[in-house]
Amino acid sequence: MKAERRHELATNVLADWLEAKIEALKPYSAAVSATALLVVVLIIAGVALFQRRSANKAEAWSQYFSAIENQSPDEATDKLESVAAEHSGSQAALWSRLSLADGHLSNGVEELFKDHAAARKALEQAQEQYQAVLEHAPRESLLAERATFGLAQTLESKNELEPARKHYRELLDRWPNGAFSSLANARLNDLERKSTKDFYDWFAKQSTQTKIKTPGRPGEKPSFDLGKLPDEPFDSGLNIGGKKVGDTAKPKTDSQEKASGDEAKNDAPPAADEEQKPKEKPVSKSE
């Protein structure tokens, strides 16, 4: 009974306290109502903004996937640039920049075998886009990892080997178990070889008029030793019109030419005899 009595008294005390507070707030009821209304408006505005941003994100991703699927290179570039500009700062915009950088890198590597000026321009564009991604992407994200590896490849293609090594090492330090760690480690090991530097230096001096078989992506190069190439042109083995194409034989000496001529005479068929005269019959003594 005593416990029930204490509970009843506590309830009465709480009711009295609430009544007193309500009475005290009555003069401010208008302000309280306005504040509550403002809170409601802010909540509605926040929900609308969130929904709008979600719709924009969905639209940005839709445009991004549309750009990279079944498009010509020029059309894809235009659409990716549009996504990067219209949805700046979004994840879709950063991935668009990454795709643009990959495209410029691929074009630059291909142009290295055709036009050095065009190659340089494409590689500069790739470097700019990779750096833009690195400036805005979360530090430990896959975006940052991809952009770091792409930037290292771009610098290597520009024959800037020391900066390329720096970014390959950075990738290994930040993502030791990442998707590109093994590739970065392989490129570092290759760039430490003197033969690799010699190859890049040799390749940089080649004219774009020279026919060079494209090795592909950065780091791939012909599997021959430049120092062991023969001095003579390649002997194709073709024989056209009795003359061997690509024949690198040294000119024959006079004695060799004479010996060849004698052999030719011996091998030639005998010449036809002049018209034979009819033999005269011997005249007998009786006649």
Side-chain angles (χ1 to χ4, degrees):
M1 294 293 294
K2 291 182 179 181
E4 293 178 0
R5 179 59 180 172
R6 284 197 298 271
H7 178 70
E8 182 180 352
L9 291 174
T11 301
N12 292 336
V13 170
L14 178 60
D16 293 341
W17 181 85
L18 287 174
E19 184 178 358
K21 292 298 181 182
I22 291 173
E23 290 295 330
L25 291 174
K26 279 184 179 181
Y28 309 101
S29 59
V32 171
S33 299
T35 302
L37 180 61
L38 179 61
V39 170
V40 172
V41 170
L42 290 176
I43 292 173
I44 294 174
V47 172
L49 181 61
F50 176 79
Q51 290 178 340
R52 182 177 179 181
R53 287 182 176 177
S54 298
N56 288 339
K57 287 181 179 179
E59 177 63 22
W61 282 115
S62 177
Q63 292 178 9
Y64 170 75
F65 288 117
S66 174
I68 62 176
E69 292 179 356
N70 302 323
Q71 301 288 335
S72 69
D74 291 339
E75 291 176 339
T77 297
D78 292 341
K79 288 188 176 183
L80 289 171
E81 288 177 346
S82 177
V83 174
E86 294 178 8
H87 304 277
S88 179
S90 67
Q91 289 290 304
L94 292 176
W95 278 99
S96 295
R97 289 190 178 277
L98 184 66
S99 297
L100 285 169
D102 290 342
H104 290 315
L105 173 58
S106 180
N107 291 338
V109 171
E110 183 177 353
E111 289 296 334
L112 282 172
F113 303 88
K114 303 175 183 177
D115 186 335
H116 286 174
R120 186 77 181 182
K121 180 179 179 181
L123 293 174
E124 292 287 353
Q125 291 174 322
Q127 182 175 349
E128 180 181 348
Q129 294 289 3
Y130 283 130
Q131 289 174 336
V133 173
L134 288 172
E135 289 176 4
H136 299 91
R139 178 172 172 76
E140 302 303 326
S141 64
L142 177 61
L143 265 171
E145 183 182 3
R146 281 276 288 101
T148 301
F149 184 72
L151 181 58
Q153 284 189 302
T154 302
L155 293 169
E156 183 180 347
S157 300
K158 292 171 65 180
N159 198 18
E160 299 178 13
L161 303 187
E162 185 54 41
R165 279 193 288 262
K166 175 184 175 183
H167 286 287
Y168 282 132
R169 292 192 194 100
E170 179 185 358
L171 191 143
L172 288 175
D173 291 340
R174 291 171 58 182
W175 298 278
N177 300 314
F180 302 94
S181 59
S182 60
L183 292 174
N185 188 58
R187 295 308 315 131
L188 270 177
N189 291 335
D190 194 30
L191 291 177
E192 293 297 331
R193 300 186 180 96
K194 183 178 182 300
S195 60
T196 301
K197 185 179 186 306
D198 291 342
F199 168 76
Y200 277 109
D201 290 342
W202 168 83
F203 184 79
K205 296 176 183 177
Q206 301 308 303
S207 168
T208 53
Q209 301 301 320
T210 304
K211 297 289 185 179
I212 305 175
K213 185 178 180 181
T214 305
R217 300 287 290 178
E220 297 180 10
K221 55 182 181 292
S223 58
F224 56 74
D225 187 346
L226 297 176
K228 296 181 179 179
L229 291 178
D231 294 332
E232 297 85 1
F234 173 69
D235 185 354
S236 65
L238 296 178
N239 194 305
I240 300 177
K243 185 177 180 180
K244 194 173 183 181
V245 178
D247 191 356
T248 60
K250 296 180 180 180
K252 296 180 179 179
T253 63
D254 293 340
S255 60
Q256 290 174 330
E257 289 286 354
K258 185 177 180 181
S260 298
D262 294 340
E263 291 177 1
K265 288 180 180 179
N266 294 331
D267 294 337
D273 295 332
E274 296 180 357
E275 184 179 356
Q276 295 180 355
K277 296 179 180 181
K279 294 182 180 181
E280 297 180 355
K281 295 182 179 180
V283 179
S284 64
K285 292 181 179 182
S286 60
E287 292 179 352

